[in-house]
Amino acid sequence: MRVQSLTLAAACAALLAPAALPAAEFRFAQEPVAWREGDVRAADLLAKVRDCVQISRGRYRSDDGMPANIPVCGTRDAVFWKSDMDIDCDGQTGPRCNRRSDPLFSSLTAYQQSDGRYLSAERLPYIVVPSVSRIWNHREHGVRGGAVAAVVYRDRVQYAVVGDVGPHDIIGEASYATAKGLGITPDPRGGGTPSGVTYIVFKDSQVKPIEDHAAAVATGQRLARMFVKSK
């Protein structure tokens, strides 16, 4: 079950008027993988994160009511975790992400585009990090809005940015576009996958503007090559 992201601007959500909804219901269908990005193999990235040196003080849940058994791990160059993927459809309203398709839809994301609008979960591959807590402070490990991530699922690698902030005790969420790129069903009602996703965030990386996905891919490929070659 998807858990709604808690954005930095969540306190303002109640003041926003509901957006107009399409008259017709939208039906999700299995969508093809949009692309396979980069030349770094999933197997090579996974080999570098086989062992976990835990950097979080505690562990996270994958969803409400689940055991807290997911640590955040770290290397010299990256932080990573292995979990499920819930679908974040928040941000700009579109045909696939809106209040009709997603009962937990929020028009806000923690970070904004260069034009001041919130991110588009439909178009921009991004991941969600937990809000700062005693469990883990992502900022202390070089992770901020726009940080570049390599998201690995089976034999696929999708580059994304850190684009939203979620609950303080839950981890494992990414945008509609991230799921679609990995061949994971992106339906916010029943999509996602219960396990098998690895999120690798490169420390002190940042894409500006945050919505420039081509820049995220270029930066991600460069950092991924360095990461797999590091000792």
Side-chain angles (χ1 to χ4, degrees), residues 1-4 21-22 24-29 63 85-90 95-105 173-176 179 184-193:
M1 178 177 179
R2 177 180 175 275
V3 178
Q4 182 182 20
L21 299 177
E25 290 190 17
F26 179 82
R27 293 184 179 275
F28 285 89
D63 289 294
M85 180 182 286
D86 293 324
I87 308 301
D88 187 330
C89 229
D90 296 338
R96 295 168 176 80
C97 291
N98 53 63
R99 288 184 176 85
R100 185 183 298 275
S101 66
D102 182 3
L104 298 176
F105 177 79
E173 189 175 359
S175 69
Y176 180 104
I184 295 170
T185 302
D187 181 353
R189 287 181 182 267
T193 184

mmCIF file of all heavy atoms in Angstrom, residues 1-4 21-22 24-29 63 85-90 95-105 173-176 179 184-193:
data_model
loop_
_atom_site.group_PDB
_atom_site.id
_atom_site.type_symbol
_atom_site.label_atom_id
_atom_site.label_comp_id
_atom_site.label_asym_id
_atom_site.label_seq_id
_atom_site.Cartn_x
_atom_site.Cartn_y
_atom_site.Cartn_z
ATOM 1 N N MET A 1 0.851 -1.200 0.000
ATOM 2 C CA MET A 1 0.000 0.000 0.000
ATOM 3 C C MET A 1 0.872 1.229 0.000
ATOM 4 O O MET A 1 1.820 1.345 0.753
ATOM 5 C CB MET A 1 -0.889 0.006 1.233
ATOM 6 C CG MET A 1 -1.784 1.232 1.350
ATOM 7 S SD MET A 1 -2.854 1.109 2.790
ATOM 8 C CE MET A 1 -3.718 2.670 2.640
ATOM 9 N N ARG A 2 0.552 2.181 -0.858
ATOM 10 C CA ARG A 2 1.360 3.374 -0.978
ATOM 11 C C ARG A 2 1.137 4.271 0.216
ATOM 12 O O ARG A 2 0.037 4.413 0.712
ATOM 13 C CB ARG A 2 0.978 4.124 -2.250
ATOM 14 C CG ARG A 2 1.734 5.438 -2.437
ATOM 15 C CD ARG A 2 1.285 6.102 -3.726
ATOM 16 N NE ARG A 2 1.901 7.393 -3.858
ATOM 17 C CZ ARG A 2 1.421 8.507 -3.324
ATOM 18 N NH1 ARG A 2 0.322 8.467 -2.598
ATOM 19 N NH2 ARG A 2 2.015 9.663 -3.500
ATOM 20 N N VAL A 3 2.222 4.901 0.687
ATOM 21 C CA VAL A 3 2.139 5.871 1.774
ATOM 22 C C VAL A 3 2.402 7.234 1.191
ATOM 23 O O VAL A 3 3.377 7.441 0.485
ATOM 24 C CB VAL A 3 3.184 5.559 2.867
ATOM 25 C CG1 VAL A 3 3.124 6.606 3.956
ATOM 26 C CG2 VAL A 3 2.923 4.176 3.437
ATOM 27 N N GLN A 4 1.559 8.195 1.494
ATOM 28 C CA GLN A 4 1.702 9.524 0.938
ATOM 29 C C GLN A 4 2.964 10.188 1.443
ATOM 30 O O GLN A 4 3.328 10.096 2.606
ATOM 31 C CB GLN A 4 0.489 10.379 1.312
ATOM 32 C CG GLN A 4 0.547 11.793 0.719
ATOM 33 C CD GLN A 4 -0.631 12.621 1.142
ATOM 34 O OE1 GLN A 4 -1.279 12.300 2.124
ATOM 35 N NE2 GLN A 4 -0.929 13.675 0.429
ATOM 36 N N LEU A 21 -10.789 17.966 -12.045
ATOM 37 C CA LEU A 21 -10.488 16.591 -12.395
ATOM 38 C C LEU A 21 -11.044 16.268 -13.763
ATOM 39 O O LEU A 21 -12.064 16.803 -14.185
ATOM 40 C CB LEU A 21 -11.120 15.630 -11.362
ATOM 41 C CG LEU A 21 -10.630 15.811 -9.943
ATOM 42 C CD1 LEU A 21 -11.385 14.855 -9.025
ATOM 43 C CD2 LEU A 21 -9.148 15.570 -9.853
ATOM 44 N N PRO A 22 -10.398 15.369 -14.493
ATOM 45 C CA PRO A 22 -10.917 14.974 -15.788
ATOM 46 C C PRO A 22 -12.280 14.322 -15.615
ATOM 47 O O PRO A 22 -12.555 13.644 -14.630
ATOM 48 C CB PRO A 22 -9.882 13.945 -16.287
ATOM 49 C CG PRO A 22 -8.673 14.146 -15.444
ATOM 50 C CD PRO A 22 -9.150 14.705 -14.155
ATOM 51 N N ALA A 24 -13.573 11.911 -17.455
ATOM 52 C CA ALA A 24 -13.541 10.466 -17.682
ATOM 53 C C ALA A 24 -12.559 9.809 -16.737
ATOM 54 O O ALA A 24 -11.544 10.384 -16.374
ATOM 55 C CB ALA A 24 -13.148 10.173 -19.124
ATOM 56 N N GLU A 25 -12.871 8.592 -16.328
ATOM 57 C CA GLU A 25 -11.948 7.847 -15.475
ATOM 58 C C GLU A 25 -10.750 7.410 -16.280
ATOM 59 O O GLU A 25 -10.861 7.066 -17.448
ATOM 60 C CB GLU A 25 -12.650 6.618 -14.896
ATOM 61 C CG GLU A 25 -13.703 6.971 -13.859
ATOM 62 C CD GLU A 25 -14.200 5.737 -13.154
ATOM 63 O OE1 GLU A 25 -13.513 4.707 -13.251
ATOM 64 O OE2 GLU A 25 -15.266 5.806 -12.532
ATOM 65 N N PHE A 26 -9.586 7.433 -15.632
ATOM 66 C CA PHE A 26 -8.372 6.968 -16.301
ATOM 67 C C PHE A 26 -8.097 5.539 -15.891
ATOM 68 O O PHE A 26 -8.128 5.208 -14.722
ATOM 69 C CB PHE A 26 -7.179 7.859 -15.922
ATOM 70 C CG PHE A 26 -5.902 7.409 -16.554
ATOM 71 C CD1 PHE A 26 -5.594 7.762 -17.847
ATOM 72 C CD2 PHE A 26 -5.028 6.590 -15.862
ATOM 73 C CE1 PHE A 26 -4.425 7.325 -18.428
ATOM 74 C CE2 PHE A 26 -3.860 6.152 -16.441
ATOM 75 C CZ PHE A 26 -3.560 6.520 -17.728
ATOM 76 N N ARG A 27 -7.846 4.700 -16.845
ATOM 77 C CA ARG A 27 -7.532 3.299 -16.560
ATOM 78 C C ARG A 27 -6.051 3.055 -16.838
ATOM 79 O O ARG A 27 -5.558 3.373 -17.912
ATOM 80 C CB ARG A 27 -8.389 2.356 -17.418
ATOM 81 C CG ARG A 27 -9.859 2.412 -17.064
ATOM 82 C CD ARG A 27 -10.649 1.399 -17.871
ATOM 83 N NE ARG A 27 -12.056 1.446 -17.503
ATOM 84 C CZ ARG A 27 -12.565 0.781 -16.479
ATOM 85 N NH1 ARG A 27 -11.782 0.028 -15.732
ATOM 86 N NH2 ARG A 27 -13.852 0.857 -16.197
ATOM 87 N N PHE A 28 -5.377 2.474 -15.833
ATOM 88 C CA PHE A 28 -3.967 2.165 -16.011
ATOM 89 C C PHE A 28 -3.811 0.877 -16.790
ATOM 90 O O PHE A 28 -4.571 -0.069 -16.611
ATOM 91 C CB PHE A 28 -3.278 2.011 -14.649
ATOM 92 C CG PHE A 28 -3.044 3.321 -13.975
ATOM 93 C CD1 PHE A 28 -4.000 3.882 -13.151
ATOM 94 C CD2 PHE A 28 -1.871 4.008 -14.178
ATOM 95 C CE1 PHE A 28 -3.787 5.089 -12.531
ATOM 96 C CE2 PHE A 28 -1.643 5.223 -13.560
ATOM 97 C CZ PHE A 28 -2.604 5.765 -12.736
ATOM 98 N N ALA A 29 -2.838 0.833 -17.635
ATOM 99 C CA ALA A 29 -2.507 -0.383 -18.380
ATOM 100 C C ALA A 29 -1.034 -0.661 -18.181
ATOM 101 O O ALA A 29 -0.261 0.199 -17.781
ATOM 102 C CB ALA A 29 -2.817 -0.195 -19.866
ATOM 103 N N ASP A 63 6.460 -0.029 4.829
ATOM 104 C CA ASP A 63 5.098 0.510 4.853
ATOM 105 C C ASP A 63 4.625 0.544 6.297
ATOM 106 O O ASP A 63 5.216 -0.098 7.174
ATOM 107 C CB ASP A 63 4.137 -0.357 4.027
ATOM 108 C CG ASP A 63 4.384 -0.252 2.533
ATOM 109 O OD1 ASP A 63 4.163 0.831 1.969
ATOM 110 O OD2 ASP A 63 4.803 -1.258 1.927
ATOM 111 N N MET A 85 9.194 -0.616 -3.671
ATOM 112 C CA MET A 85 8.941 0.668 -4.318
ATOM 113 C C MET A 85 7.448 0.959 -4.275
ATOM 114 O O MET A 85 6.641 0.252 -4.878
ATOM 115 C CB MET A 85 9.416 0.720 -5.771
ATOM 116 C CG MET A 85 9.140 2.096 -6.419
ATOM 117 S SD MET A 85 9.630 2.239 -8.153
ATOM 118 C CE MET A 85 11.429 2.339 -7.951
ATOM 119 N N ASP A 86 7.081 1.990 -3.520
ATOM 120 C CA ASP A 86 5.744 2.550 -3.577
ATOM 121 C C ASP A 86 5.767 3.685 -4.593
ATOM 122 O O ASP A 86 6.823 4.270 -4.862
ATOM 123 C CB ASP A 86 5.321 3.070 -2.207
ATOM 124 C CG ASP A 86 5.149 1.953 -1.192
ATOM 125 O OD1 ASP A 86 4.681 0.869 -1.586
ATOM 126 O OD2 ASP A 86 5.498 2.159 -0.016
ATOM 127 N N ILE A 87 4.611 4.000 -5.150
ATOM 128 C CA ILE A 87 4.533 4.985 -6.227
ATOM 129 C C ILE A 87 4.146 6.348 -5.693
ATOM 130 O O ILE A 87 3.099 6.522 -5.067
ATOM 131 C CB ILE A 87 3.518 4.555 -7.309
ATOM 132 C CG1 ILE A 87 3.825 3.132 -7.787
ATOM 133 C CG2 ILE A 87 3.534 5.538 -8.472
ATOM 134 C CD1 ILE A 87 5.208 2.924 -8.368
ATOM 135 N N ASP A 88 5.006 7.330 -5.925
ATOM 136 C CA ASP A 88 4.730 8.723 -5.603
ATOM 137 C C ASP A 88 4.182 9.382 -6.863
ATOM 138 O O ASP A 88 4.863 9.434 -7.884
ATOM 139 C CB ASP A 88 6.020 9.422 -5.147
ATOM 140 C CG ASP A 88 5.779 10.835 -4.624
ATOM 141 O OD1 ASP A 88 4.829 11.478 -5.087
ATOM 142 O OD2 ASP A 88 6.559 11.289 -3.774
ATOM 143 N N CYS A 89 2.944 9.874 -6.783
ATOM 144 C CA CYS A 89 2.304 10.540 -7.925
ATOM 145 C C CYS A 89 2.068 12.012 -7.622
ATOM 146 O O CYS A 89 1.246 12.666 -8.280
ATOM 147 C CB CYS A 89 0.978 9.844 -8.253
ATOM 148 S SG CYS A 89 0.786 9.433 -10.011
ATOM 149 N N ASP A 90 2.773 12.551 -6.631
ATOM 150 C CA ASP A 90 2.530 13.916 -6.183
ATOM 151 C C ASP A 90 3.154 14.946 -7.128
ATOM 152 O O ASP A 90 3.988 14.630 -7.962
ATOM 153 C CB ASP A 90 3.077 14.109 -4.772
ATOM 154 C CG ASP A 90 2.355 13.239 -3.756
ATOM 155 O OD1 ASP A 90 1.220 12.824 -4.035
ATOM 156 O OD2 ASP A 90 2.933 12.982 -2.684
ATOM 157 N N PRO A 95 -2.673 13.514 -16.557
ATOM 158 C CA PRO A 95 -3.663 12.473 -16.828
ATOM 159 C C PRO A 95 -3.478 11.218 -15.992
ATOM 160 O O PRO A 95 -4.426 10.470 -15.760
ATOM 161 C CB PRO A 95 -3.480 12.181 -18.322
ATOM 162 C CG PRO A 95 -2.108 12.674 -18.646
ATOM 163 C CD PRO A 95 -1.865 13.830 -17.747
ATOM 164 N N ARG A 96 -2.258 10.964 -15.512
ATOM 165 C CA ARG A 96 -1.982 9.760 -14.728
ATOM 166 C C ARG A 96 -1.826 10.038 -13.243
ATOM 167 O O ARG A 96 -1.941 9.118 -12.435
ATOM 168 C CB ARG A 96 -0.737 9.067 -15.277
ATOM 169 C CG ARG A 96 -0.936 8.536 -16.686
ATOM 170 C CD ARG A 96 0.386 8.119 -17.319
ATOM 171 N NE ARG A 96 0.157 7.522 -18.627
ATOM 172 C CZ ARG A 96 -0.064 8.196 -19.743
ATOM 173 N NH1 ARG A 96 -0.094 9.531 -19.700
ATOM 174 N NH2 ARG A 96 -0.277 7.595 -20.893
ATOM 175 N N CYS A 97 -1.528 11.244 -12.889
ATOM 176 C CA CYS A 97 -1.344 11.617 -11.485
ATOM 177 C C CYS A 97 -2.293 12.755 -11.136
ATOM 178 O O CYS A 97 -2.059 13.915 -11.508
ATOM 179 C CB CYS A 97 0.102 12.038 -11.225
ATOM 180 S SG CYS A 97 1.303 10.686 -11.319
ATOM 181 N N ASN A 98 -3.349 12.413 -10.429
ATOM 182 C CA ASN A 98 -4.355 13.401 -10.055
ATOM 183 C C ASN A 98 -5.193 12.815 -8.919
ATOM 184 O O ASN A 98 -4.978 11.677 -8.498
ATOM 185 C CB ASN A 98 -5.220 13.790 -11.250
ATOM 186 C CG ASN A 98 -5.828 12.584 -11.936
ATOM 187 O OD1 ASN A 98 -6.625 11.848 -11.338
ATOM 188 N ND2 ASN A 98 -5.452 12.339 -13.196
ATOM 189 N N ARG A 99 -6.170 13.553 -8.448
ATOM 190 C CA ARG A 99 -6.966 13.095 -7.310
ATOM 191 C C ARG A 99 -7.904 11.951 -7.666
ATOM 192 O O ARG A 99 -8.383 11.248 -6.783
ATOM 193 C CB ARG A 99 -7.745 14.266 -6.719
ATOM 194 C CG ARG A 99 -6.858 15.250 -5.970
ATOM 195 C CD ARG A 99 -7.662 16.348 -5.298
ATOM 196 N NE ARG A 99 -6.790 17.219 -4.516
ATOM 197 C CZ ARG A 99 -6.122 18.263 -5.014
ATOM 198 N NH1 ARG A 99 -6.245 18.551 -6.290
ATOM 199 N NH2 ARG A 99 -5.349 18.999 -4.234
ATOM 200 N N ARG A 100 -8.177 11.777 -8.948
ATOM 201 C CA ARG A 100 -9.020 10.655 -9.345
ATOM 202 C C ARG A 100 -8.205 9.354 -9.391
ATOM 203 O O ARG A 100 -8.660 8.308 -8.939
ATOM 204 C CB ARG A 100 -9.644 10.910 -10.722
ATOM 205 C CG ARG A 100 -10.641 9.831 -11.147
ATOM 206 C CD ARG A 100 -11.174 10.109 -12.543
ATOM 207 N NE ARG A 100 -11.902 11.360 -12.601
ATOM 208 C CZ ARG A 100 -13.188 11.485 -12.295
ATOM 209 N NH1 ARG A 100 -13.871 10.429 -11.882
ATOM 210 N NH2 ARG A 100 -13.792 12.654 -12.385
ATOM 211 N N SER A 101 -7.008 9.423 -9.933
ATOM 212 C CA SER A 101 -6.185 8.212 -10.057
ATOM 213 C C SER A 101 -5.515 7.829 -8.748
ATOM 214 O O SER A 101 -5.183 6.664 -8.530
ATOM 215 C CB SER A 101 -5.111 8.415 -11.135
ATOM 216 O OG SER A 101 -4.183 9.421 -10.741
ATOM 217 N N ASP A 102 -5.305 8.827 -7.855
ATOM 218 C CA ASP A 102 -4.555 8.602 -6.621
ATOM 219 C C ASP A 102 -5.288 9.245 -5.444
ATOM 220 O O ASP A 102 -5.270 10.471 -5.291
ATOM 221 C CB ASP A 102 -3.156 9.194 -6.761
ATOM 222 C CG ASP A 102 -2.288 8.970 -5.533
ATOM 223 O OD1 ASP A 102 -2.749 8.309 -4.581
ATOM 224 O OD2 ASP A 102 -1.144 9.451 -5.529
ATOM 225 N N PRO A 103 -5.929 8.454 -4.586
ATOM 226 C CA PRO A 103 -6.663 9.022 -3.449
ATOM 227 C C PRO A 103 -5.777 9.810 -2.491
ATOM 228 O O PRO A 103 -6.275 10.655 -1.741
ATOM 229 C CB PRO A 103 -7.258 7.787 -2.756
ATOM 230 C CG PRO A 103 -7.195 6.690 -3.753
ATOM 231 C CD PRO A 103 -6.033 6.991 -4.643
ATOM 232 N N LEU A 104 -4.471 9.543 -2.497
ATOM 233 C CA LEU A 104 -3.543 10.228 -1.597
ATOM 234 C C LEU A 104 -2.777 11.339 -2.303
ATOM 235 O O LEU A 104 -1.774 11.834 -1.798
ATOM 236 C CB LEU A 104 -2.554 9.221 -1.007
ATOM 237 C CG LEU A 104 -3.168 8.116 -0.144
ATOM 238 C CD1 LEU A 104 -2.103 7.134 0.301
ATOM 239 C CD2 LEU A 104 -3.890 8.700 1.056
ATOM 240 N N PHE A 105 -3.248 11.741 -3.474
ATOM 241 C CA PHE A 105 -2.539 12.735 -4.280
ATOM 242 C C PHE A 105 -2.341 14.044 -3.525
ATOM 243 O O PHE A 105 -3.243 14.544 -2.849
ATOM 244 C CB PHE A 105 -3.312 13.008 -5.571
ATOM 245 C CG PHE A 105 -2.697 14.066 -6.443
ATOM 246 C CD1 PHE A 105 -1.613 13.774 -7.246
ATOM 247 C CD2 PHE A 105 -3.201 15.366 -6.435
ATOM 248 C CE1 PHE A 105 -1.040 14.759 -8.047
ATOM 249 C CE2 PHE A 105 -2.639 16.347 -7.226
ATOM 250 C CZ PHE A 105 -1.555 16.040 -8.041
ATOM 251 N N GLU A 173 10.275 4.645 -1.935
ATOM 252 C CA GLU A 173 9.233 5.277 -2.745
ATOM 253 C C GLU A 173 9.897 6.062 -3.862
ATOM 254 O O GLU A 173 10.968 6.642 -3.695
ATOM 255 C CB GLU A 173 8.383 6.205 -1.880
ATOM 256 C CG GLU A 173 7.154 6.745 -2.578
ATOM 257 C CD GLU A 173 6.252 7.573 -1.670
ATOM 258 O OE1 GLU A 173 6.585 7.707 -0.464
ATOM 259 O OE2 GLU A 173 5.225 8.073 -2.160
ATOM 260 N N ALA A 174 9.262 6.078 -5.025
ATOM 261 C CA ALA A 174 9.793 6.800 -6.179
ATOM 262 C C ALA A 174 8.638 7.242 -7.067
ATOM 263 O O ALA A 174 7.508 6.759 -6.950
ATOM 264 C CB ALA A 174 10.772 5.925 -6.964
ATOM 265 N N SER A 175 8.938 8.140 -7.975
ATOM 266 C CA SER A 175 7.899 8.729 -8.820
ATOM 267 C C SER A 175 7.370 7.747 -9.858
ATOM 268 O O SER A 175 7.992 6.724 -10.178
ATOM 269 C CB SER A 175 8.447 9.962 -9.535
ATOM 270 O OG SER A 175 9.421 9.596 -10.500
ATOM 271 N N TYR A 176 6.201 8.097 -10.375
ATOM 272 C CA TYR A 176 5.574 7.342 -11.461
ATOM 273 C C TYR A 176 6.589 7.089 -12.581
ATOM 274 O O TYR A 176 6.705 5.968 -13.087
ATOM 275 C CB TYR A 176 4.377 8.147 -11.979
ATOM 276 C CG TYR A 176 3.611 7.518 -13.112
ATOM 277 C CD1 TYR A 176 2.378 6.900 -12.893
ATOM 278 C CD2 TYR A 176 4.088 7.578 -14.423
ATOM 279 C CE1 TYR A 176 1.661 6.335 -13.943
ATOM 280 C CE2 TYR A 176 3.380 7.016 -15.475
ATOM 281 C CZ TYR A 176 2.174 6.396 -15.234
ATOM 282 O OH TYR A 176 1.474 5.844 -16.274
ATOM 283 N N ALA A 179 9.271 4.394 -11.768
ATOM 284 C CA ALA A 179 8.720 3.041 -11.861
ATOM 285 C C ALA A 179 8.545 2.625 -13.308
ATOM 286 O O ALA A 179 8.927 1.516 -13.721
ATOM 287 C CB ALA A 179 7.386 2.967 -11.124
ATOM 288 N N ILE A 184 8.294 -1.327 -13.771
ATOM 289 C CA ILE A 184 7.431 -1.591 -12.625
ATOM 290 C C ILE A 184 6.084 -0.908 -12.880
ATOM 291 O O ILE A 184 6.049 0.238 -13.333
ATOM 292 C CB ILE A 184 8.061 -1.052 -11.330
ATOM 293 C CG1 ILE A 184 9.361 -1.809 -11.021
ATOM 294 C CG2 ILE A 184 7.101 -1.149 -10.155
ATOM 295 C CD1 ILE A 184 10.189 -1.189 -9.904
ATOM 296 N N THR A 185 4.989 -1.574 -12.598
ATOM 297 C CA THR A 185 3.672 -0.980 -12.802
ATOM 298 C C THR A 185 3.564 0.313 -12.007
ATOM 299 O O THR A 185 3.705 0.308 -10.779
ATOM 300 C CB THR A 185 2.562 -1.953 -12.370
ATOM 301 O OG1 THR A 185 2.694 -3.162 -13.110
ATOM 302 C CG2 THR A 185 1.186 -1.357 -12.634
ATOM 303 N N PRO A 186 3.304 1.462 -12.673
ATOM 304 C CA PRO A 186 3.348 2.746 -11.973
ATOM 305 C C PRO A 186 2.026 3.210 -11.382
ATOM 306 O O PRO A 186 1.955 4.329 -10.871
ATOM 307 C CB PRO A 186 3.799 3.703 -13.085
ATOM 308 C CG PRO A 186 3.221 3.122 -14.329
ATOM 309 C CD PRO A 186 3.237 1.627 -14.145
ATOM 310 N N ASP A 187 1.003 2.403 -11.424
ATOM 311 C CA ASP A 187 -0.312 2.768 -10.892
ATOM 312 C C ASP A 187 -0.195 3.107 -9.404
ATOM 313 O O ASP A 187 0.209 2.267 -8.604
ATOM 314 C CB ASP A 187 -1.262 1.586 -11.090
ATOM 315 C CG ASP A 187 -2.682 1.854 -10.602
ATOM 316 O OD1 ASP A 187 -2.908 2.908 -9.982
ATOM 317 O OD2 ASP A 187 -3.547 1.000 -10.824
ATOM 318 N N PRO A 188 -0.540 4.344 -8.987
ATOM 319 C CA PRO A 188 -0.394 4.703 -7.568
ATOM 320 C C PRO A 188 -1.354 3.956 -6.654
ATOM 321 O O PRO A 188 -1.132 3.902 -5.449
ATOM 322 C CB PRO A 188 -0.685 6.211 -7.564
ATOM 323 C CG PRO A 188 -1.509 6.447 -8.781
ATOM 324 C CD PRO A 188 -1.017 5.469 -9.805
ATOM 325 N N ARG A 189 -2.415 3.376 -7.193
ATOM 326 C CA ARG A 189 -3.351 2.620 -6.361
ATOM 327 C C ARG A 189 -2.835 1.224 -6.016
ATOM 328 O O ARG A 189 -2.946 0.776 -4.887
ATOM 329 C CB ARG A 189 -4.704 2.489 -7.063
ATOM 330 C CG ARG A 189 -5.529 3.757 -7.115
ATOM 331 C CD ARG A 189 -6.845 3.499 -7.801
ATOM 332 N NE ARG A 189 -7.671 4.691 -7.924
ATOM 333 C CZ ARG A 189 -8.595 5.053 -7.041
ATOM 334 N NH1 ARG A 189 -8.803 4.318 -5.961
ATOM 335 N NH2 ARG A 189 -9.309 6.143 -7.223
ATOM 336 N N GLY A 190 -2.299 0.526 -6.999
ATOM 337 C CA GLY A 190 -1.896 -0.854 -6.748
ATOM 338 C C GLY A 190 -0.599 -1.254 -7.403
ATOM 339 O O GLY A 190 -0.265 -2.440 -7.463
ATOM 340 N N GLY A 191 0.155 -0.288 -7.895
ATOM 341 C CA GLY A 191 1.417 -0.586 -8.569
ATOM 342 C C GLY A 191 2.574 -0.707 -7.601
ATOM 343 O O GLY A 191 2.400 -0.941 -6.413
ATOM 344 N N GLY A 192 3.772 -0.529 -8.132
ATOM 345 C CA GLY A 192 4.968 -0.687 -7.319
ATOM 346 C C GLY A 192 5.369 -2.141 -7.238
ATOM 347 O O GLY A 192 4.854 -2.996 -7.951
ATOM 348 N N THR A 193 6.299 -2.429 -6.356
ATOM 349 C CA THR A 193 6.758 -3.800 -6.151
ATOM 350 C C THR A 193 7.140 -3.971 -4.686
ATOM 351 O O THR A 193 7.648 -3.019 -4.063
ATOM 352 C CB THR A 193 7.956 -4.127 -7.065
ATOM 353 O OG1 THR A 193 8.336 -5.498 -6.910
ATOM 354 C CG2 THR A 193 9.166 -3.262 -6.762
#
